[in-house]
Amino acid sequence: MRQRKLEIYSVEHHAATDIKKKEGRDGKKDNDLELKRNQQKEELKKELDLDDHKLSNKELETKYGTDIIRGLSSTRAAELLAQNGPNALTPPKQTPEIIKFLKQMVGGFSILLWVGAVLCWIAFGIQYVSNPSASLDSVYLGTVLAVVVILTGIFAYYQEAKSTNIMASFCKMIPQQAVVIRDSEKKVIPAEQLVVGDIVEIKGGDQIPADIRLLSAQGCKVDNSSLTGESEPQSRSSEFTHENPLETKNITFYSTTCLEASTSPVGTATGMVINTGDRTIIGRIASLASGVGNEKTPIAIEIEHFVHIVAGVAVSVGILFFIIAVCMKYHVLDAIIFLIAIIVANVPEGLLATVTVALSLTAKRMAKKNCLVKNLEAVETLGSTSIICSDKTGTLTQNRMTVAHLWFDNQIFVADTSEDNLNQGFDQSSGTWTSLSKIIALCNRAEFKPGQESVPIMKRVVVGDASETALLKFSEVILGDVMEIRKRNHKVVEIPFNSTNKFQLSIHQTEDPNDKRFLLVMKGAPERILEKCSTIMINGKEQPLDKSMAQAFHTAYMELGGLGERVLGFCHFYLPADEFPETYSFDSESMNFPTSNLCFVGLLSMIDPPRSTVPDAVTKCRSAGIKVIMVTGDHPITAKAIAKSVGIISANSETVEDIAKRCNIAVEQVNKRDAKAAVVTGMELKDMSPEQLDELLANYPEIVFARTSPQQKLIIVEGCQRQDAVVAVTGDGVNDSPALKKADIGVAMGITGSDAAKNAADMILLDDNFSSIVTGVEEGRLIFDNLKKTIAYTLTKNIAELCPFLIYIILGLPLPIGTITLLFIDLGTDIIPSIALAYEKAESDIMNRKPRHKKKDRLVNQQLAVYSYLHIGLMQALGAFLVYFTVYAQQGFRPTSLFHLRIAWDSDHLNDLEDNYGQEWTSYQRQYLEWTGYTAFFVGIMVQQIADLIIRKTRKNSIFKQGLFRNKVIWVGIASQIIVALLLSYGLGSITALNFTMLKAQYWFVAVPHAILIWVYDEMRKLFIRLYPGSWWDKNMYY
Amino acid sequence: MRRQLRSRRAPAFPYGSRYRLDDQDEVNQNYLADEEEEAEEEAQMMMASNSEEEKEEEEEEEKEEEEGQGQPTGNAWWHKLQVINEYLWDPERRMSLARTGQSWSLILVIYFFFYASLAAVITLFMYSLFLAISPYMPTFTERVKPPGVMIRPFAHSLNFNFNVSEPDTWQHYVISLNGFLQGYNDSLQEEMNVDCPPGQYFIQDGDEDEDKKACQFKRSFLKNCSGLEDPTFGYSTGQPCILLKMNRIVGFRPELGDPVKVSCKVQRGDENDIRSINYYPESASFDLRYYPYYGKLTHVNYTSPLVAMHFTDVVKNQVVPVQCQLKGKGIINDVINDRFVGRIIFTLNIET
């Protein structure tokens, strides 16, 4: 840091000019600040740098200036507290709610509409000053605009406010109290007041109050699941066992739970606080998670892009015609009113709310398919996802150990690993199997919780660790009631599994009343078990364990191990009845029984098997052009095995190592290009530069990251994002929350996921099932297509709304449609139809195309805008004008006489304006006719919007292929359009402020031929696109 | 490292709105690498007139920056401008708006045909519409009914302010009335129109497109307000004449035997402010023979009947609001929104 600073400052000395210097310095200050912030962030991303676990107690005492027996002095503790701050997580700076609210009020089109509203009021103000009886129209309009903006703002704010606070979930995890030794006394203090160097005591059931280096502990087990996602309790002691502070046994972490510390004499463990507050592991994760910026979702970017286009068009057309109007000697006030009208005509006021509703409809649909979407915009993100970084455990796998293979009689048998597991079809006739099954059933401490007889075996709750559970369920499935078997074979003694012995042993009376021998059964690490054996059982007969058998054992062991499975060896021994009579007293401490020269029976291997739906889902992702990367904390071999079995690494692709092995050459000699797959461990990743990571991510289509830490998950996500990919990340642990937040879409697990992960995520998989993501992808892609249709539908009428004003200004026709009437189209008739398009089914198999390119496949592209504005929009405008002209002509004003009639028409004093038939019109009569014209134009647009709605159902296929009636909601939309229009015309026709009149029935049909024309034209467009793919027409007309 | 990273990313964000001011060099470099215009280089030279050496150092320092965190500055606008400029005309690839000349001409041709056929279709629709609408009789007249009322003289204002002793203040009324009554000159009326029997409709059967005859309405009918005897229409004496005209409506017929009458009174004020009004014709009504009206195309010489109001005794030096109403069957004179249907309100302020 310091060196970098020096470099920066040295620039100033070389600065050529004073001015430049000044600029430079200002810039530098910013740089510095930014630099610091970034470094902080970078630092957090780095692996934990800690050496306290390596130090002896004495060194610790000197380092932290404390005393293990007496603890810190209160004064010292107070000093440290003042210096380092409380032992609590600092909440990130919150944006005040009012700011958030105001932001919504000026976001999107709002600012444009505000300008419009204010201009309206100003215009009225000026009119009022010059003529107190000025019409209130502009006041109405301004108010309506303001109400529209405020309502949409509130809607958007409400949507945003629903997302929950990440920090809150972290704070929930924090312990309240701690037992601390200070001034030689045991005190209970709030955990907040802990400082570095404090000696704390922990009981079973406590939450660890800070990052702690254990000084004395026995049989202490901690549940790190909240932090690392490891579900098994980890034992902790005061010994230094691993270089990595995260894995060494003598460090426990803030907010994790101490499960048991009971075997220790005092029932407690003591430790020294080495990190507090934000500097703890959880603190780092929390600040990392809350510090990772909330990136804009792809759909937000698209909508912003669209808003820019539309606002750009609105403002430039508005200003252009403002200038034209001024040049045409219009009053400036009138020109301003035209400007407002043009803006209102151009801005699709209801669209943003429509998009939100469409997204939430999809979200609801996805929730039904077990994808709970928290952040609405994430609905689409999943659709544009190009890389999924998936967790292994629980997401791809079933998250339970299951027996996968058995080896006995020198043969490997495959066990069923599917979810219900009932179909164990291997050969069970051999005598060896009888023995083996007995060992499996007896040498096991796990038990079913009582009262679950009606529950399927695989779903029963078991007390015991994962492997024992697997074995218990396995034998329950095959043998029947295991508890009964155990009862019949009474257990006399047992030695539980421990890490030094690496075996588990028990001695039983046999169920055969004639056989007085005791049966010794043992299971454990295969090589340890084999060491203890001198014979091996083949086909139920004991044979001496010769070299060839040992070789066979090793081959099988390697093969099963190579599948990434956890292998256990089983052996038994019938204790001779003469040496061990029935009354013999076995002692587990002294082990007064033989533990060698046993009879080896078989091997059994277990794995957390992949969910049965996952391979299919991965294939779907593949065909959808989505790269699936596995990121797991598990062992590379296991990871690779699972990756292969689910298809993340496809059957015929090899890693560099595989090639090396096949060709029998060194890994370095292999041409890296030949390998399609890569398995990268956390250690390798640690040494990689970002460039290397980029290269890795770009060059290998199939990647598995194993043994990765949460920080590395973040690095991987960032690497993927550098490839311009839209990245989805799945995770469940607290430690995943930064990556979940950083990802374009974070997917948390609903069952196993921690609160922090769920809060950081945008989506929650309620069933923890990877295949649910695929459903999400499909829905996401569909909604993107459908939003395109919605927007195309909505934009089309903008031209029909805009043209009246342009023609009014240039050709001086009586105004064809009023600004308030426009709002009734935008916010009245068009709302439900545009939502209805969200229900449209996919046109083709959307899961067979590549994910859209973030920068190339825009939501609103040039083709869409051009086709909507210049083709259909223009046709609509013409159709609407036709209705307008018809009304005027039938009332006495032929189109030719309307041109340049504006000044006379709008003149309040002229109460005998002559029409084509010589009739004379009062000002109000003309006004009323004008409103009839508005209504006619409105109805014209509405009728053609029905055609527009129908043509927008598809972008390429014929409507008839898509099915006119498949999407019923479309018809609801059409009905709503008609009903709203009827209500406005006939129901509210008498309210003058709304400018609607009762329109004669026949005028409703004038635009129908035009609507049909639109339909026919669009069918032709689609036909040509289908006939000539890749042609000019396809390129320019397909949106 | 970050430098490389950035140079990979930057071209991907040509519209990058978030470059910091001192990013400029870098932006430009990335840009130049993408074969940009010379103008840009010049601009860069001008804006960063420093030595190569310094530039390198700046680059070094830029390496330290994280991307995307800077605030948008004026430079971004400059950059945007260049992008737009290039979009408008790209000399490198000879493209304008991202299309080549060939592409543009194709577009133009296709759009020409598209719009031409669209125009043809709309013309067809319009043409068939006009075939369906009779030029003689409007299809509907409900919007123009009931008839409105207008007065003469009228010049943008319904407030008659004049000083009897100052002819300048009323002369324009006289000119206006004279002009208006030219069409009513007895000689003209006698020459063009027929003298049809009063008290009954002047119905002319026959084809729609046949020319219709019009009834005479002679200027002399207006007597004292005809301007024939008193060329100042009473303005010089403080007894102004105001002519009232009912709006023409094709096919409008007042109730038989009950012609539309005109009556004026003070609107909201002392009834006695107007002590007497003379109406010409004396019946103060529009004779039935002027109805129905057959429309401009065939009823060419139709002359709208008039009722003249002669305010012979009005309070002077005071604003007097006057409301003149039509009365008769089929006449509505109390529409709130329309102050000209069946009635008219004006003020008289005669100064002496």
Side-chain angles (χ1 to χ4, degrees):
Chain A
M1 172 84 203
R2 180 153 302 154
Q3 217 182 342
R4 281 175 181 177
K5 248 186 197 164
L6 276 178
E7 274 177 23
I8 292 163
Y9 284 121
S10 69
V11 179
E12 285 179 46
H13 299 296
H14 295 273
T17 64
D18 280 348
I19 300 161
K20 192 72 200 167
K21 214 192 239 169
K22 195 160 171 290
E23 277 177 7
R25 204 177 285 138
D26 287 350
K28 239 109 282 164
K29 238 181 232 164
D30 284 356
N31 286 356
D32 257 12
L33 270 175
E34 212 168 279
L35 230 152
K36 250 187 222 160
R37 218 182 304 135
N38 293 331
Q39 270 183 351
Q40 247 172 7
K41 210 171 135 198
E42 288 301 319
E43 231 161 65
L44 284 169
K45 258 185 242 167
K46 266 187 228 147
E47 296 297 306
L48 181 68
D49 186 22
L50 200 73
D51 58 357
D52 291 332
H53 52 301
K54 296 180 201 158
L55 302 179
S56 71
N57 290 3
K58 264 261 122 21
E59 286 168 313
L60 281 169
E61 280 189 330
T62 36
K63 186 177 173 192
Y64 291 108
T66 180
D67 187 301
I68 289 176
I69 310 298
R70 281 176 292 162
L72 285 173
S73 66
S74 308
T75 43
R76 174 77 185 139
E79 255 174 56
L80 284 171
L81 188 65
Q83 193 185 320
N84 295 335
N87 175 33
L89 303 182
T90 338
K93 252 199 208 153
Q94 291 271 330
T95 326
E97 290 298 304
I98 183 77
I99 301 281
K100 282 191 202 161
F101 183 72
L102 289 179
K103 261 192 184 162
Q104 294 295 351
M105 288 289 162
V106 295
F109 295 119
S110 304
I111 193 81
L112 218 53
L113 295 180
W114 275 125
V115 170
V118 169
L119 284 179
C120 276
W121 291 323
I122 292 175
F124 176 75
I126 298 171
Q127 278 176 344
Y128 186 80
V129 168
S130 58
N131 174 16
S133 64
S135 105
L136 283 167
D137 280 357
S138 6
V139 180
Y140 293 148
L141 181 59
T143 315
V144 169
L145 287 180
V147 167
V148 166
V149 178
I150 290 171
L151 283 183
T152 44
I154 289 173
F155 188 63
Y157 172 75
Y158 169 72
Q159 286 296 344
E160 203 200 61
K162 284 201 295 192
S163 65
T164 36
N165 184 1
I166 288 192
M167 217 54 192
S169 57
F170 278 98
C171 290
K172 250 192 267 162
M173 298 165 52
I174 303 306
Q176 301 296 314
Q177 305 270 310
V179 181
V180 65
I181 300 175
R182 278 189 191 165
D183 305 323
S184 313
E185 274 175 57
K186 233 188 245 183
K187 290 178 189 168
V188 178
I189 60 166
E192 265 190 14
Q193 291 176 11
L194 281 183
V195 293
V196 167
D198 262 334
I199 309 297
V200 290
E201 283 190 358
I202 302 145
K203 304 193 296 297
D206 280 356
Q207 276 187 309
I208 311 290
D211 278 4
I212 284 170
R213 158 72 155 86
L214 288 177
L215 300 169
S216 69
Q218 267 185 3
C220 176
K221 278 194 172 177
V222 289
D223 174 13
N224 273 358
S225 61
S226 64
L227 200 58
T228 58
E230 298 163 297
S231 50
E232 284 173 57
Q234 311 282 306
S235 68
R236 283 292 180 264
S237 65
S238 54
E239 293 129 47
F240 158 58
T241 56
H242 203 285
E243 280 285 329
N244 186 339
L246 288 168
E247 297 199 17
T248 186
K249 288 203 163 172
N250 57 0
I251 290 191
T252 57
F253 301 107
Y254 194 21
S255 86
T256 59
T257 314
C258 176
L259 292 176
E260 42 183 318
S262 53
T263 47
S264 143
V266 271
T268 54
T270 47
M272 183 190 289
V273 175
I274 49 173
N275 269 322
T276 58
D278 290 334
R279 288 169 300 281
T280 59
I281 299 285
I282 192 87
R284 283 150 169 268
I285 294 174
S287 22
L288 202 51
S290 59
V292 171
N294 236 340
E295 308 267 320
K296 267 191 190 144
T297 57
I299 196 72
I301 294 170
E302 289 308 316
I303 288 175
E304 192 171 273
H305 175 239
F306 153 74
V307 167
H308 282 165
I309 291 180
V310 172
V313 171
V315 170
S316 36
V317 173
I319 289 180
L320 178 70
F321 277 86
F322 179 79
I323 293 167
I324 291 177
V326 170
C327 293
M328 285 176 74
K329 304 262 162 45
Y330 279 90
H331 196 273
V332 176
L333 210 62
D334 289 336
I336 288 177
I337 288 171
F338 301 156
L339 178 66
I340 298 164
I342 287 170
I343 289 175
V344 173
N346 257 308
V347 172
E349 288 83 6
L351 187 58
L352 296 186
T354 311
V355 168
T356 314
V357 172
L359 288 175
S360 60
L361 285 173
T362 306
K364 265 193 195 145
R365 208 151 52 201
M366 282 164 83
K368 266 189 210 148
K369 295 177 182 168
N370 289 323
C371 293
L372 189 70
V373 180
K374 277 175 53 200
N375 174 4
L376 268 192
E377 285 168 354
V379 169
E380 190 278 326
T381 314
L382 210 49
S384 40
T385 296
S386 50
I387 296 182
I388 299 176
C389 292
S390 177
D391 231 11
K392 179 179 77 75
T393 317
T395 316
L396 298 172
T397 66
Q398 300 170 17
N399 197 20
R400 62 188 167 95
M401 277 301 189
T402 306
V403 176
H405 293 95
L406 301 111
W407 178 79
F408 56 86
D409 294 347
N410 203 3
Q411 221 181 322
I412 289 178
F413 298 91
V414 182
D416 177 26
T417 55
S418 69
E419 270 86 345
D420 49 12
N421 217 333
L422 288 170
N423 199 10
Q424 300 296 2
F426 60 92
D427 178 25
Q428 297 171 1
S429 59
S430 162
T432 317
W433 164 248
T434 319
S435 301
L436 182 57
S437 62
K438 199 174 234 174
I439 306 172
I440 294 170
L442 295 179
C443 190
N444 193 329
R445 296 174 67 199
E447 286 176 19
F448 288 112
K449 274 195 177 163
Q452 299 189 81
E453 283 70 27
S454 55
V455 183
I457 295 169
M458 282 301 146
K459 295 218 169 98
R460 289 189 201 167
V461 181
V462 176
V463 186
D465 72 19
S467 333
E468 297 230 320
T469 306
L471 293 173
L472 174 64
K473 287 183 175 170
F474 179 66
S475 40
E476 182 88 8
V477 167
I478 295 180
L479 302 176
D481 194 343
V482 173
M483 290 306 167
E484 186 55 37
I485 297 172
R486 286 195 201 160
K487 232 180 256 170
R488 280 182 307 206
N489 297 273
H490 178 69
K491 177 156 59 182
V492 283
V493 71
E494 86 177 331
I495 301 173
F497 187 86
N498 72 40
S499 49
T500 29
N501 285 343
K502 294 201 170 166
F503 66 76
Q504 180 181 356
L505 175 157
S506 58
I507 298 174
H508 300 260
Q509 294 167 337
T510 57
E511 55 190 318
D512 182 358
N514 301 325
D515 193 348
K516 295 291 177 223
R517 290 178 301 173
F518 285 101
L519 174 63
L520 182 150
V521 289
M522 191 198 247
K523 74 167 183 221
E527 64 276 13
R528 296 298 288 270
I529 297 293
L530 193 73
E531 274 170 25
K532 296 181 190 298
C533 294
S534 56
T535 56
I536 185 165
M537 184 179 275
I538 301 286
N539 297 328
K541 304 246 162 45
E542 249 179 81
Q543 290 179 6
L545 184 65
D546 55 14
K547 269 243 163 77
S548 68
M549 274 333 291
Q551 189 55 46
F553 159 85
H554 275 291
T555 319
Y557 181 25
M558 290 309 289
E559 190 174 340
L560 296 179
L563 294 171
E565 297 175 2
R566 187 186 288 176
V567 190
L568 288 176
F570 292 85
C571 66
H572 72 181
F573 186 61
Y574 282 95
L575 298 175
D578 46 346
E579 270 178 68
F580 300 95
E582 254 182 289
T583 50
Y584 189 86
S585 130
F586 293 94
D587 180 17
S588 63
E589 290 291 314
S590 59
M591 301 224 272
N592 54 352
F593 42 83
T595 55
S596 60
N597 292 327
L598 313 175
C599 173
F600 190 86
V601 181
L603 290 173
L604 181 150
S605 67
M606 288 172 292
I607 198 162
D608 180 10
R611 287 166 181 269
S612 49
T613 50
V614 169
D616 194 36
V618 171
T619 320
K620 271 191 183 166
C621 284
R622 277 278 155 70
S623 58
I626 302 169
K627 193 163 158 179
V628 183
I629 295 179
M630 183 198 275
V631 182
T632 173
D634 214 331
H635 209 271
I637 297 175
T638 319
K640 192 176 159 190
I642 295 291
K644 281 216 158 179
S645 64
V646 299
I648 288 179
I649 295 181
S650 43
N652 50 1
S653 55
E654 292 177 307
T655 62
V656 174
E657 290 79 13
D658 288 336
I659 297 176
K661 207 169 141 195
R662 176 166 53 86
C663 307
N664 225 347
I665 48 172
V667 172
E668 291 74 26
Q669 288 174 291
V670 179
N671 181 3
K672 283 187 180 159
R673 299 269 169 233
D674 293 344
K676 264 177 75 190
V679 178
V680 183
T681 64
M683 294 304 277
E684 290 164 7
L685 186 61
K686 207 166 157 187
D687 298 332
M688 274 186 193
S689 66
E691 286 73 38
Q692 284 171 310
L693 178 62
D694 287 350
E695 205 187 302
L696 177 85
L697 289 169
N699 289 339
Y700 293 96
E702 299 167 352
I703 308 175
V704 170
F705 289 99
R707 283 265 167 240
T708 46
S709 69
Q711 279 85 349
Q712 287 176 327
K713 208 169 190 176
L714 187 57
I715 290 170
I716 295 167
V717 172
E718 286 178 336
C720 294
Q721 284 174 335
R722 281 200 297 274
Q723 321 281 319
D724 266 351
V726 176
V727 187
V729 171
T730 69
D732 48 10
V734 173
N735 53 359
D736 292 328
S737 52
L740 289 174
K741 191 89 185 295
K742 177 76 199 172
D744 296 288
I745 175 167
V747 182
M749 298 299 135
I751 302 170
T752 56
S754 60
D755 279 358
K758 285 181 192 168
N759 274 345
D762 306 297
M763 204 176 95
I764 297 167
L765 289 189
L766 294 176
D767 57 354
D768 288 15
N769 191 346
F770 182 79
S771 36
S772 304
I773 298 181
V774 180
T775 328
V777 170
E778 200 168 351
E779 290 291 346
R781 290 186 175 189
L782 182 59
I783 196 65
F784 185 80
D785 284 3
N786 285 348
L787 282 183
K788 239 182 189 181
K789 295 171 184 172
T790 300
I791 290 178
Y793 168 77
T794 316
L795 283 190
T796 305
K797 65 169 187 299
N798 277 6
I799 284 295
E801 293 178 349
L802 180 65
C803 286
F805 293 99
L806 307 190
I807 292 194
Y808 173 68
I809 294 171
I810 305 227
L811 297 178
L813 295 179
L815 189 59
I817 191 164
T819 322
I820 290 180
T821 322
L822 289 185
L823 288 174
F824 277 103
I825 301 176
D826 286 358
L827 300 171
T829 55
D830 265 7
I831 291 287
I832 295 176
S834 51
I835 293 171
L837 281 171
Y839 287 94
E840 202 51 49
K841 297 274 181 303
E843 271 176 75
S844 52
D845 193 353
I846 39 179
M847 290 305 274
N848 268 338
R849 61 178 195 222
K850 291 235 163 327
R852 73 183 181 92
H853 191 286
K854 245 197 318 195
K855 305 225 169 61
K856 284 184 200 143
D857 307 330
R858 309 308 302 250
L859 182 65
V860 176
N861 50 21
Q862 193 195 333
Q863 288 89 336
L864 187 149
V866 167
Y867 185 66
S868 297
Y869 277 149
L870 296 184
H871 292 233
I872 304 296
L874 211 73
M875 288 164 87
Q876 264 193 7
L878 290 177
F881 268 109
L882 190 70
V883 190
Y884 159 87
F885 280 134
T886 310
V887 166
Y888 274 76
Q890 296 206 324
Q891 292 288 347
F893 290 94
R894 303 198 142 227
T896 39
S897 67
L898 289 175
F899 292 98
H900 304 292
L901 188 64
R902 193 190 66 89
I903 295 172
W905 184 273
D906 288 347
S907 160
D908 282 341
H909 305 296
L910 194 58
N911 281 292
D912 49 359
L913 182 73
E914 224 178 275
D915 66 14
N916 287 84
Y917 296 96
Q919 307 184 95
E920 290 167 320
W921 294 71
T922 68
S923 164
Y924 186 79
Q925 283 167 340
R926 293 197 303 271
Q927 177 92 72
Y928 202 77
L929 178 57
E930 189 176 313
W931 291 341
T932 311
Y934 291 179
T935 315
F937 206 92
F938 167 85
V939 167
I941 293 181
M942 188 275 292
V943 166
Q944 292 176 91
Q945 277 294 78
I946 293 176
D948 191 25
L949 182 65
I950 291 170
I951 65 166
R952 299 300 181 181
K953 277 164 69 78
T954 60
R955 294 185 293 150
K956 196 175 204 163
N957 286 346
S958 164
I959 295 297
F960 302 104
K961 194 183 164 203
Q962 180 81 352
L964 254 179
F965 301 98
R966 235 172 65 186
N967 180 357
K968 305 271 185 309
V969 191
I970 289 280
W971 293 97
V972 175
I974 291 175
S976 82
Q977 257 177 326
I978 296 171
I979 290 168
V980 169
L982 285 172
L983 276 180
L984 286 173
S985 174
Y986 296 120
L988 305 175
S990 48
I991 302 173
T992 47
L994 297 181
N995 300 355
F996 278 98
T997 66
M998 296 191 194
L999 198 65
K1000 281 191 197 307
Q1002 61 264 42
Y1003 293 135
W1004 293 71
F1005 300 97
V1006 175
V1008 170
H1010 237 86
I1012 293 167
L1013 184 72
I1014 286 176
W1015 191 347
V1016 170
Y1017 178 67
D1018 193 65
E1019 276 297 321
M1020 268 167 53
R1021 177 190 72 97
K1022 288 168 186 163
L1023 179 70
F1024 282 124
I1025 288 174
R1026 290 196 304 274
L1027 284 182
Y1028 307 105
S1031 64
W1032 180 92
W1033 187 266
D1034 185 19
K1035 276 187 212 139
N1036 286 278
M1037 301 298 258
Y1038 180 65
Y1039 55 87
Chain B
M1 145 239 144
R2 214 176 286 143
R3 158 121 202 112
Q4 276 176 319
L5 217 164
R6 179 113 65 111
S7 51
R8 202 194 341 263
R9 290 179 89 171
F13 293 109
Y15 301 89
S17 56
R18 294 199 166 182
Y19 288 111
R20 301 168 47 77
L21 221 147
D22 38 9
D23 269 1
Q24 185 207 329
D25 281 3
E26 203 194 35
V27 173
N28 286 344
Q29 271 164 15
N30 287 327
Y31 224 78
L32 288 171
D34 279 10
E35 302 168 351
E36 286 292 316
E37 299 157 61
E38 288 168 11
E40 195 169 41
E41 198 170 33
E42 277 172 30
Q44 183 203 342
M45 300 295 257
M46 272 160 62
M47 290 195 67
S49 59
N50 41 20
S51 64
E52 279 299 309
E53 194 188 353
E54 197 199 347
K55 219 163 132 190
E56 272 168 33
E57 275 155 6
E58 281 194 0
E59 265 169 49
E60 215 136 276
E61 132 225 339
E62 281 155 17
K63 281 186 202 169
E64 314 295 334
E65 289 173 17
E66 181 78 292
E67 169 163 17
Q69 294 222 344
Q71 295 95 27
T73 61
N75 191 41
W77 285 102
W78 171 245
H79 182 78
K80 263 191 180 171
L81 209 69
Q82 280 172 332
V83 170
I84 291 169
N85 189 22
E86 196 221 342
Y87 180 67
L88 290 178
W89 173 240
D90 180 0
E92 197 68 42
R93 284 172 292 181
R94 304 193 58 73
M95 282 160 108
S96 176
L97 301 174
R99 287 183 188 279
T100 58
Q102 200 190 353
S103 165
W104 269 115
S105 31
L106 186 61
I107 290 259
L108 289 178
V109 168
I110 284 179
Y111 272 80
F112 175 78
F113 281 111
F114 172 62
Y115 287 139
S117 36
L118 206 55
V121 169
I122 192 81
T123 317
L124 190 76
F125 280 149
M126 288 286 239
Y127 183 71
S128 50
L129 167 72
F130 290 118
L131 284 185
I133 294 174
S134 152
Y136 309 108
M137 287 288 283
T139 320
F140 304 110
T141 51
E142 86 279 357
R143 290 276 175 265
V144 74
K145 268 183 207 164
V149 172
M150 206 47 201
I151 50 168
R152 292 287 183 276
F154 176 72
H156 301 295
S157 173
L158 291 168
N159 303 321
F160 294 85
N161 296 324
F162 62 91
N163 195 322
V164 176
S165 50
E166 290 172 39
D168 279 354
T169 59
W170 48 259
Q171 197 62 54
H172 60 276
Y173 295 127
V174 174
I175 295 169
S176 168
L177 281 177
N178 260 324
F180 176 70
L181 287 176
Q182 283 310 308
Y184 291 86
N185 283 338
D186 290 12
S187 53
L188 191 69
Q189 284 297 322
E190 277 159 13
E191 181 190 336
M192 310 292 291
N193 292 344
V194 293
D195 186 10
C196 30
Q200 62 187 62
Y201 300 132
F202 183 48
I203 294 176
Q204 303 172 64
D205 293 325
D207 285 341
E208 251 191 348
D209 56 350
E210 255 174 49
D211 278 349
K212 304 287 188 302
K213 292 193 181 89
C215 281
Q216 292 174 355
F217 189 96
K218 292 183 187 163
R219 189 170 175 167
S220 53
F221 292 174
L222 300 177
K223 313 257 165 66
N224 286 341
C225 284
S226 64
L228 299 173
E229 290 110 59
D230 176 7
T232 66
F233 298 93
Y235 284 85
S236 57
T237 56
Q239 297 172 315
C241 278
I242 291 173
L243 309 182
L244 190 136
K245 166 176 81 73
M246 190 164 79
N247 280 354
R248 281 194 296 271
I249 292 165
V250 174
F252 175 76
R253 295 182 202 186
E255 189 79 358
L256 197 62
D258 178 21
V260 179
K261 282 204 166 63
V262 176
S263 91
C264 296
K265 61 171 194 278
V266 177
Q267 194 225 10
R268 260 180 269 150
D270 191 351
E271 291 277 343
N272 298 322
D273 284 352
I274 300 174
R275 278 181 287 268
S276 90
I277 308 171
N278 290 339
Y279 298 97
Y280 312 107
E282 282 84 356
S283 62
S285 63
F286 301 101
D287 197 285
L288 290 180
R289 60 181 156 162
Y290 300 106
Y291 303 95
Y293 174 50
Y294 286 101
K296 195 161 134 182
L297 206 59
T298 48
H299 218 161
V300 185
N301 293 321
Y302 181 81
T303 315
S304 289
L306 301 172
V307 170
M309 289 133 356
H310 198 190
F311 294 91
T312 46
D313 193 357
V314 180
V315 169
K316 304 287 186 306
N317 300 321
Q318 172 186 333
V319 177
V320 181
V322 185
Q323 172 169 273
C324 293
Q325 285 180 319
L326 299 184
K327 286 191 176 143
K329 261 234 173 118
I331 296 290
I332 297 172
N333 53 24
D334 54 359
V335 180
I336 299 162
N337 287 317
D338 193 345
R339 287 173 295 117
F340 293 92
V341 163
R343 59 177 169 161
I344 188 160
I345 297 158
F346 54 93
T347 62
L348 291 175
N349 183 8
I350 305 162
E351 290 168 20
T352 47

